[in-house]
Amino acid sequence: MIMNTYSLKKEEVERSWFVLDASDRILGRVATKIADRIRGKDKPTFTPHTDGGDYVIVINAEKIKVTGSKYTDKKYYRHSLYPGGLKSQSFKELKEKNPERIIEEAVKGMLPKNKLGKSIIKKLKVFNGPEHSHESQQPIEWNPSSDGGNVHPDATVSPRGGLPLALAKRMWNYYKKSANRRPPNVIV
């Protein structure tokens, strides 16, 4: 029996709208989730050369957080295309003036650097404050977890290992207690 690889065509793409509240979230963690969602990598029909992702609306962009000293040290650069036209702003300055650009730049850096990436980034809508102008699309509230997937809190199977969650936790605790043993490759 011959198996054929499924390749998504742009006419077959089904898109949804999601709204994400960025309040008190870490910039890089949430940017990777957004990049995967707008590119379509979270779907079983993912095809690298096709734009098969969903639309994502990000609200409360001004409440995004960063770790370490990035709040004062991280720089954002742009150039006016004239000699000596390099401009730079710190994260702190940009958060006060244009917080939407922080999330847009973080997600844009995680997308392909070609025509496909330019079309994918158009599906990201970032807003300052809790209001957005896309209510007519009836977006679904999306709250991505930070544990590597959208896992329900009452899940009985660990997200990546395929083991029953209770067994995976017991194994992890056993190996944590014994100092000379290497823990198993189980993610809880």
Side-chain angles (χ1 to χ4, degrees):
M1 186 167 97
I2 297 175
M3 303 281 289
N4 292 330
T5 302
Y6 178 75
S7 184
L8 183 69
K9 292 152 191 75
K10 63 182 176 182
E11 297 84 25
E12 300 171 353
V13 175
E14 295 177 12
R15 300 191 200 285
S16 302
W17 285 76
F18 293 92
V19 63
L20 169 69
D21 187 3
S23 298
D24 300 325
R25 291 191 179 261
I26 306 298
L27 175 64
R29 307 253 179 205
V30 78
T32 56
K33 302 287 185 185
I34 294 169
D36 285 350
R37 179 64 57 126
I38 65 175
R39 188 160 183 220
K41 289 190 90 169
D42 59 335
K43 294 183 177 184
T45 58
F46 172 68
T47 308
H49 59 79
T50 306
D51 182 7
D54 298 319
Y55 288 89
V56 175
I57 303 162
V58 181
I59 56 173
N60 293 321
E62 75 282 359
K63 295 180 183 173
I64 197 82
K65 301 229 186 268
V66 288
T67 57
S69 62
K70 290 190 277 283
Y71 188 77
T72 54
D73 297 347
K74 185 170 175 59
K75 299 284 185 195
Y76 289 88
Y77 297 98
R78 63 184 195 282
H79 203 285
S80 67
L81 301 180
Y82 286 99
L86 183 65
K87 313 262 193 256
S88 68
Q89 284 181 307
S90 69
F91 179 87
K92 182 179 177 181
E93 294 167 351
L94 195 58
K95 190 174 179 180
E96 292 168 1
K97 292 181 182 174
N98 191 2
E100 297 94 350
R101 187 170 161 236
I102 293 171
I103 296 174
E104 289 168 358
E105 290 291 321
V107 173
K108 187 177 177 183
M110 298 177 185
L111 296 177
K113 280 53 170 188
N114 53 23
K115 291 179 191 176
L116 183 62
K118 288 181 177 130
S119 68
I120 290 172
I121 196 68
K122 291 177 184 173
K123 293 186 299 190
L124 174 64
K125 317 291 183 187
V126 185
F127 294 94
N128 205 4
E131 300 297 320
H132 61 86
S133 59
H134 297 284
E135 287 296 329
S136 59
Q137 277 74 29
Q138 299 171 348
I140 303 163
E141 188 173 324
W142 177 45
N143 190 8
S145 62
S146 60
D147 63 356
N150 291 330
V151 180
H152 193 272
D154 299 330
T156 56
V157 176
S158 63
R160 294 191 190 144
L163 290 172
L165 197 58
L167 175 63
K169 285 182 180 177
R170 271 200 322 252
M171 286 173 61
W172 182 254
N173 289 333
Y174 171 76
Y175 282 103
K176 257 190 345 189
K177 289 176 186 172
S178 57
N180 58 354
R181 290 195 179 149
R182 190 176 148 274
N185 194 9
V186 175
I187 297 171
V188 180

